[in-house]
């Protein structure tokens, strides 16, 4: 089982290059950066974790910029969006971003995607909140065509373009892994439909531990006629027994969520994880 770490990079956090080097030195597999283009002041949408929305959500840097800096500072560490809000991004430009970062990283990019919870933010980008799931699917399907075809075209309800040519193509073939973020059961269904992995948070209002739902998820895969895609769980804690149960359940990766803080606060946490990692890998 691999270990990843995520941070909202801000102007008051560790820099992405600094954190990436520290993670690679300690045996972490991956670094993840989330995305919020902005936070509307109307705040109609409640924060999924409850309570007030943390300041770092307002302050997050662009993930493709921070992850490029992280990739440039390392040689083995994988870098991933956790998650990219594809419903807020043009698919042709995003396909080029993904292919470009996969090229400059030497094939180390993981494309975590999600459909978003903040209706205000999404609608500011011209997307109808109720139809965002279909829009996301079409944009991901269109990007797959762009990455894999020399003359790409796509015709859907929301995404439509005639044959075109665009490079670079990704290093990873057929394209970087697409990890679909979100809760059980709907995001799991989307992951099985068009993803290469499912990436849920450990707890949500409907369940205390997503690992306990993995048997249902695997049965869902059987009913969908495909193999279960690998599972990455967010929300790791320094609990050796819990992590071993994740590993034994077939979870391929856990992700530690770090505060947007400086090295003096973060490095001691990474040192503790580095000692725990060999026991649960």
């Amino acid at each position: 089982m691999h270990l990843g770490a995520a941070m909202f990079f801000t102007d008051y956090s560790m820099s992405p290059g600094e954190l990436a080097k520290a993670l690679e030195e300690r045996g972490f597999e991956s670094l993840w950066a989330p995305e919020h283009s902005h936070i509307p002041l109307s705040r109609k949408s409640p924060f999924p974790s409850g309570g007030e929305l943390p300041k770092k959500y307002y302050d997050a840097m662009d993930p493709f910029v921070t992850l490029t800096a992280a990739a440039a500072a390392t040689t083995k560490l994988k870098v991933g969006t956790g998650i990219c809000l594809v419903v807020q991004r043009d698919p042709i430009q995003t396909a080029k971003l993904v292919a470009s970062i996969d090229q400059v990283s030497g094939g180390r990019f993981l494309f975590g995607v999600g459909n978003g919870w903040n209706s205000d933010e999404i609608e500011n980008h011209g997307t109808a909140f109720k139809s965002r799931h279909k829009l996301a699917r079409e944009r991901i399907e269109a990007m797959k065509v762009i990455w894999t075809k020399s003359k790409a075209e796509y015709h859907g309800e929301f995404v439509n373009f005639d044959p075109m040519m665009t490079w670079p193509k990704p290093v990873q073939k057929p394209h970087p892994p697409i990890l679909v973020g979100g809760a059980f059961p709907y995001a799991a269904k989307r992951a099985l439909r068009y993803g290469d992995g499912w990436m849920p948070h450990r707890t949500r209002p409907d369940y205390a531990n997503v690992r306990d739902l993995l048997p249902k998820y695997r049965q869902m895969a059987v009913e969908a006629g495909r193999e279960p895609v690998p599972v990455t769980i967010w929300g790791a804690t320094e609990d050796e027994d819990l992590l071993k149960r994740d590993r034994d359940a077939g979870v391929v990766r856990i992700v530690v969520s770090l505060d947007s803080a400086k090295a003096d606060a973060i490095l001691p946490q990474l040192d503790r994880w580095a000692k725990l990692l060999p026991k649960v890998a």
Side-chain angles (χ1 to χ4, degrees), residues 191-248:
L192 292 169
R193 181 169 184 177
Y194 56 77
D196 305 301
W198 176 39
M199 197 161 58
H201 282 276
R202 182 173 297 281
T203 61
R204 275 294 180 252
D206 294 337
Y207 49 81
N209 193 327
V210 72
R211 186 193 61 236
D212 297 335
L213 297 173
L214 293 185
K216 291 183 180 179
Y217 161 67
R218 294 189 178 105
Q219 180 58 37
M220 182 187 297
V222 171
E223 294 169 359
R226 71 170 296 187
E227 292 292 322
V229 295
V231 176
T232 295
I233 293 181
W234 283 58
T237 58
E238 297 174 50
D239 183 326
E240 182 178 339
D241 181 62
L242 180 65
L243 296 171
K244 286 181 176 178
R245 280 184 279 162
D246 291 339
R247 177 200 63 196
D248 294 344

Side-chain angles (χ1 to χ4, degrees), residues 19-280:
L19 178 57
K21 284 191 255 186
L23 293 173
E24 188 168 76
E25 289 168 357
R26 289 163 175 79
F28 281 70
E29 177 243 9
S30 52
L31 169 62
W32 301 79
E35 172 169 50
H36 282 282
S37 59
H38 67 293
I39 301 296
L41 297 183
S42 55
R43 299 296 301 114
K44 289 186 298 185
S45 300
F47 182 38
S49 297
E52 291 297 316
L53 189 68
K55 184 177 184 295
K56 62 187 180 182
Y57 280 73
Y58 297 81
D59 302 339
M61 295 181 180
D62 181 272
F64 287 96
V65 173
T66 57
L67 293 173
T68 299
T74 54
T75 60
K76 297 179 181 179
L77 190 76
K78 295 181 180 180
V79 294
T81 45
I83 47 81
C84 173
L85 291 164
V86 295
V87 298
Q88 299 180 186
R89 286 182 172 268
D90 175 85
I92 299 173
Q93 291 284 54
T94 304
K96 184 174 285 285
L97 275 173
V98 169
S100 298
I101 193 171
D102 200 52
Q103 281 283 342
V104 300
S105 68
R108 290 184 281 143
F109 183 64
L110 303 170
F111 193 28
V113 301
N115 298 353
W117 55 268
N118 192 325
S119 61
D120 317 50
E121 178 183 359
I122 290 169
E123 289 169 357
N124 282 175
H125 287 273
T127 292
F129 187 71
K130 289 184 178 180
S131 60
R132 71 193 188 283
H133 299 308
K134 185 173 184 180
L135 173 64
R137 176 178 58 78
E138 286 195 6
R139 286 185 173 175
I140 290 168
E141 289 175 349
M143 285 189 278
K144 288 181 180 181
V145 175
I146 291 171
W147 294 324
T148 58
K149 303 293 184 181
S150 60
K151 297 178 182 178
E153 67 176 302
Y154 185 89
H155 303 286
E157 179 181 347
F158 298 103
V159 181
N160 186 59
F161 53 82
D162 291 328
M164 66 173 184
M165 300 176 72
T166 178
W167 269 261
K169 303 301 184 185
V171 173
Q172 299 178 82
K173 303 302 179 189
H175 49 71
I178 297 170
L179 280 64
V180 178
F184 186 89
Y186 299 110
K189 291 180 180 179
R190 292 193 289 271
L192 292 169
R193 181 169 184 177
Y194 56 77
D196 305 301
W198 176 39
M199 197 161 58
H201 282 276
R202 182 173 297 281
T203 61
R204 275 294 180 252
D206 294 337
Y207 49 81
N209 193 327
V210 72
R211 186 193 61 236
D212 297 335
L213 297 173
L214 293 185
K216 291 183 180 179
Y217 161 67
R218 294 189 178 105
Q219 180 58 37
M220 182 187 297
V222 171
E223 294 169 359
R226 71 170 296 187
E227 292 292 322
V229 295
V231 176
T232 295
I233 293 181
W234 283 58
T237 58
E238 297 174 50
D239 183 326
E240 182 178 339
D241 181 62
L242 180 65
L243 296 171
K244 286 181 176 178
R245 280 184 279 162
D246 291 339
R247 177 200 63 196
D248 294 344
V251 175
V252 300
R253 180 186 296 107
I254 56 168
V255 178
V256 182
S257 294
L258 303 171
D259 291 332
S260 299
K262 295 293 188 183
D264 58 350
I266 298 300
L267 294 183
Q269 298 179 50
L270 302 187
D271 289 337
R272 293 195 301 270
W273 276 103
K275 293 177 180 178
L276 184 59
L277 180 58
K279 302 176 183 178
V280 299

